[in-house]
Structure formats: C-alpha cells, structure tokens
Amino acid sequence: VLADSAFNYRMVDYYERSATSTPPRCGEHRDFGSFTLVFPSHSGLQILAGNEWKDIQVPNLGDAVLLFGWCTQIRSNGRIPAALHRVTHKQQVAANQKGMIPRRASAVLFCAPKQPTTPLEPVVRPGEEPKYIGGIQAGQLRGAMALKWQMREGTIRPEDLIKEEAEILATNMRTQDDVVQKTVAAST
C-alpha cells in the first residue's frame, strides 16, 4: 500500500467564532484515502460510534488521531471501517469574555493511492460475502467523490455547483457515502 501512496499535508485553521454559532465546524464525512493522521491543537474532533457522536480526547499536544478512509474500508471488505467524523466546538474550551470560541488548528496528513489506476480490490476471506465490487480504480472513485468534497468544503466553482446540483437531482447522491453505495457496494 505505501509503495503506491501519495501523502498530502494540510494545515486546517478553524478561526475564532461566536459561541452562538451553529456547530459543526467541519461537517460529517469519511475521508477518501487509506488513512488520515490528525494532529489537533484542541478538542472538537468527533467520530460516530454506533448512533452516537463521541468526542476524541487529545491527551497531549502533538498526539495524533488515526482515521481510516474509504480505500481501506473497500480493500478490507468492510472489516476496517472508514471513520465517519466531524469537527465541532461543543466540547471545546469555554467561550472567552467576548463570547467567542477560540481558534482551533489541526495538522492533517492524508495518505491515499497515488496512481489513478490503482485497483481497490476487496480482500474477501473464505466464508465472507463480498461487500464491494472488484474492478474499481482509485481514480474512478476519487473523481466521483470530488464535487461532493468541494460542495461540503464550500470550495466548489459556480459552474461545477450547477453540475453537482443537477447530479443530485438525477441520482440522489448527496454525499461521498452515497457515491460509494451506488458505485462500489455489492448488491445484496
């Protein structure tokens, strides 16, 4: 996996905001790649465990949180789940005297297949039913998810927004999870 891996490093700045603003700071999603390492400066990262959002505690500055992404979930035939996560300020440091939630930063290292032709073949153990179809390449899945990322992050170009809204109306694929369910998940 690492021989065909691309690493992308991002600094994410969640600017200071009003304590009355509506969480989350970053909406719920699963990452595309193999894994993500998050080095947060403060609490606020949550994962969905069962039907409940759980706060991820950051014991020491410099500690990292490991999250698996869709590529690992598909390759493991669902044995290693892609973590549904979000960033909120619900449990973060109390608002300061001005009624503001303090700034939060994260250093994030994403690992994903480098080549668009990398196969995302599920490894199915004896006696296990395949949860994902074979023959899908990383670039196909990344491309199908791209506008979903941009729309969630607010970075979508106006001309792509029109295309994305038309696709949502035609296919009802609103999220990255919907893309996986419609394009990669095995029929049951």
Side-chain angles (χ1 to χ4, degrees):
V1 171
L2 290 179
D4 178 40
S5 295
F7 293 91
N8 181 8
Y9 177 76
R10 283 173 100 180
M11 287 298 301
V12 183
D13 184 6
Y14 299 99
Y15 52 86
E16 180 180 67
R17 65 192 262 185
S18 169
T20 61
S21 63
T22 305
R25 285 183 148 185
C26 176
E28 64 185 62
H29 67 284
R30 290 175 172 87
D31 294 338
F32 161 75
S34 302
F35 66 85
T36 305
L37 283 174
V38 181
F39 298 85
S41 65
H42 294 88
S43 62
L45 181 64
Q46 296 181 325
I47 61 164
L48 189 64
N51 292 323
E52 187 178 345
W53 286 103
K54 300 282 188 178
D55 296 311
I56 301 298
Q57 299 303 317
V58 182
N60 300 301
L61 190 60
D63 287 352
V65 177
L66 173 65
L67 303 170
F68 289 102
W70 273 119
C71 290
T72 295
Q73 180 165 326
I74 293 165
R75 287 172 166 166
S76 72
N77 198 41
R79 290 184 302 277
I80 303 172
L84 185 60
H85 60 285
R86 67 183 184 182
V87 176
T88 184
H89 64 249
K90 185 179 132 211
Q91 298 296 327
Q92 199 173 355
V93 181
N96 62 25
Q97 292 176 345
K98 297 179 198 171
M100 301 296 286
I101 298 294
R103 181 180 183 182
R104 177 188 186 278
S106 289
V108 185
L109 181 67
F110 298 95
C111 175
K114 184 188 310 184
Q115 302 301 323
T117 55
T118 299
L120 297 179
E121 293 298 324
V123 176
V124 180
R125 291 181 175 168
E128 191 177 59
E129 291 293 321
K131 294 183 179 176
Y132 302 96
I133 61 173
I136 300 293
Q137 297 177 342
Q140 291 173 291
L141 187 58
R142 182 184 286 124
M145 290 181 163
L147 292 181
K148 308 293 182 219
W149 292 329
Q150 293 167 14
M151 192 152 172
R152 184 181 54 76
E153 291 182 345
T155 58
I156 194 165
R157 298 180 317 195
E159 60 271 21
D160 288 336
L161 180 59
I162 293 167
K163 178 180 170 185
E164 177 60 13
E165 288 173 342
E167 180 181 284
I168 289 170
L169 287 173
T171 65
N172 202 31
M173 288 194 298
R174 297 179 181 281
T175 68
Q176 296 159 294
D177 291 5
D178 295 336
V179 170
V180 171
Q181 289 305 313
K182 297 217 183 213
T183 60
V184 186
S187 300
T188 53

